[in-house]
Structures are given as C-alpha cells and as structure tokens.
C-alpha cells in the first residue's frame, strides 16, 4: 500500500514536471534566436503599439552582438513612442557611442530635444548632421521645427523649403512653413501653406488650427514690421492678396 502511494506521488510529480517543460519549451520556441530575427519581431510589436513588449524583446540582444547598436536605436524609437524621452535619449547616445552612424538617429535626437524643451541643443546637433547628410528630409524637418520653436521663423522657412524640395508631400513641413510665414506677417503665404496641409491631410486638428489662424484666435502674433521681405524681392502681388483675404 505504501509503495503504491509512493508510486502514484512519483507519477504525479513526473507528469507535472513534464507539462512544465513542455510549456516552457513552447514559450521559448516563440522567441527568435538570431538577433536580426529578434529585432524584426520587436519592430512588429512596435508597429502594433506594443512598445513595452518590443523594448523587452530588444533587451534580449547581447551587448557583444554586432546588431546591438541597431537594437539601441530601435529601442530608442519604442521608448520615444511610449513617452519615455530620457531613456530614448540615453539609448540614442549609447548607439552613437558604439558608432552607429545613421541619419535617422540624429533626426530622432532632434525630435527628443525639441520635445524636452531644448530646441537650441537640437539645432546644434542637427546643424552638424546636415553637413553629413545634406539631403536627408527628416533631419531638415526637425531642424526647421527647432528653429521655429526658438523664435527664428526666417531660418525655419529657409530650412523647411529645402526639406520640401526633397519631399513636397510632407504635411508637417508645410505646417512649419504656414506657422513661420504667419509670424512674419506674410498672411497670404501662410494661408497657402495651411491649404497644402489640409489638402495632404484633412485632419480636424489641422482644419481647426487654420480656422483659428483666420479668426485671429491663435497665440502667434503677425510681426510684419520685424520681418521685412529681402531687398529686391517682388512681393507686391503677395501684399495685394494679403489685403484681399484678410
């Protein structure tokens, strides 16, 4: 009787351990072994909005792995999307320290610094990046945004126009152009840029912003006297249009 009970207990323990091992192996089978596969799986999680899960997957890549700098950059994107700006910036700096040279990472740092209320630092970094990648639209866009947020609409317009030559369908660059021209008192140019924004992306947010601009409910104040047209420029038709639409 004692032996039978002992045998039953042994059998139950063995069965439970077998089930646990099966469950564990099935879970590990879902985790890719190659670092490139891990990164691809994490990117898919990121695209699905599962930022925390993506970050945990990136962390499985070893520091010694050649793909680790790329994982740092991708992890920074997930941290940024999750609203953790400090960790995103740390990962960007770590990737650069490991000599990960890609224009995307500088555009991301520019966005981070601007969102963290440090657009001046963003300008310094992005000005250097532009020298290496002069035709990168993302870097130019973020540089224009930083200029706009430091109260320099002239430079914001200049850089935004360069960005639009590369990608004329980038909605937010047209938005920078609209805001910069409005601050400079160039109402007709501003309205034209706002119309381009709405044509490209007719979101309620953009439409409401344009309506506020037309009705004068925006916080920005047109300062035409402070930003005269460049000497020799033919702006008479723009001025005539300004009085017509106001």
């Amino acid at each position: 009787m004692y032996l039978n009970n002992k045998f039953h207990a042994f059998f139950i323990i063995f069965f439970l351990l077998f089930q646990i091992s099966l469950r564990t192996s099935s879970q590990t089978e879902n985790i890719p072994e190659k670092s490139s596969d891990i990164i691809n799986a994490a990117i898919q999680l990121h695209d699905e909005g599962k930022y925390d899960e993506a970050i945990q997957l990136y962390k499985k890549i070893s520091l010694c792995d050649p793909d680790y700098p790329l994982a740092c950059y991708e992890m920074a994107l997930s941290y940024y999307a999750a609203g953790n700006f400090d960790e995103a910036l740390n990962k960007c700096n770590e990737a650069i320290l490991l000599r990960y040279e890609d224009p995307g990472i500088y555009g991301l740092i520019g966005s981070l610094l601007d969102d963290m209320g440090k657009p001046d630092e963003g300008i310094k970094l992005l000005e250097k990046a532009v020298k290496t990648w002069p035709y990168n639209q993302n870097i130019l866009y973020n540089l224009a945004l930083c200029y706009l947020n430091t109260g320099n609409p002239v430079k914001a317009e200049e850089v935004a126009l360069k960005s639009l030559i590369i990608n004329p369908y980038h909605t937010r660059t047209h938005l920078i152009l609209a805001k910069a021209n409005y601050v400079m008192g160039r109402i007709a140019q501003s309205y034209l840029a706002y119309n381009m924004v709405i044509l490209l992306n007719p979101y309620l947010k953009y439409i409401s912003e344009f309506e506020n601009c037309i009705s004068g409910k925006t916080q920005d104040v047109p300062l035409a006297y402070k930003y005269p047209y460049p000497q020799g420029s033919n702006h008479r038709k723009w001025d005539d249009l300004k009085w017509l639409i106001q």
Side-chain angles (χ1 to χ4, degrees), residues 14 24 26 31 37 50 93 111 155 165 172 191 218:
F14 176 79
T24 305
S26 66
I31 300 174
D37 293 337
K50 301 174 182 178
N93 290 331
S111 292
K155 287 293 291 183
I165 291 173
R172 286 174 293 173
Y191 285 10
T218 178

Side-chain angles (χ1 to χ4, degrees), residues 58-221:
Y58 288 127
K59 287 181 178 179
K60 294 184 180 297
I61 297 175
S62 169
L63 288 166
C64 302
D65 196 293
D67 284 333
Y68 181 75
L70 172 60
C72 286
Y73 168 57
E74 295 292 348
M75 202 186 308
L77 288 170
S78 292
Y79 273 124
Y80 181 47
N84 192 338
F85 297 162
D86 290 327
E87 280 301 322
L89 190 58
N90 288 338
K91 282 299 169 184
C92 284
N93 290 331
E94 186 178 357
I96 291 173
L97 188 65
L98 295 170
R99 302 197 179 280
Y100 181 75
E101 291 296 321
D102 185 274
I105 201 165
Y106 291 94
L108 176 57
I109 295 174
S111 292
L112 282 164
L113 291 172
D114 186 64
D115 288 340
M116 295 168 78
K118 302 175 182 178
D120 289 310
E121 292 183 30
I123 289 171
K124 291 178 183 178
L125 177 93
L126 293 167
E127 284 284 10
K128 291 180 181 178
V130 164
K131 293 178 182 178
T132 306
W133 297 284
Y135 303 110
N136 185 274
Q137 189 274 331
N138 187 38
I139 289 176
L140 289 170
Y141 160 74
N142 281 290
L143 180 58
L145 183 62
C146 286
Y147 273 126
L148 184 67
N149 290 335
T150 53
N152 192 340
V154 177
K155 287 293 291 183
E157 181 195 34
E158 177 187 326
V159 178
L161 288 172
K162 290 180 182 178
S163 175
L164 288 171
I165 291 173
I166 299 167
N167 182 5
Y169 304 108
H170 193 255
T171 306
R172 286 174 293 173
T173 305
H174 283 285
L175 190 61
I176 290 174
L177 203 59
K179 291 181 176 181
N181 275 283
Y182 186 82
V183 170
M184 291 189 289
R186 300 171 189 176
I187 306 300
Q189 293 94 319
S190 175
Y191 285 10
L192 177 62
Y194 266 119
N195 274 280
M196 282 301 300
V197 170
I198 294 167
L199 283 170
L200 290 169
N201 274 314
Y203 295 152
L204 183 61
K205 176 185 174 182
Y206 296 143
I207 296 171
S208 298
E209 193 168 334
F210 185 35
E211 288 176 347
N212 289 335
C213 179
I214 294 171
S215 60
K217 294 179 181 178
T218 178
Q219 293 180 348
D220 297 321
V221 179

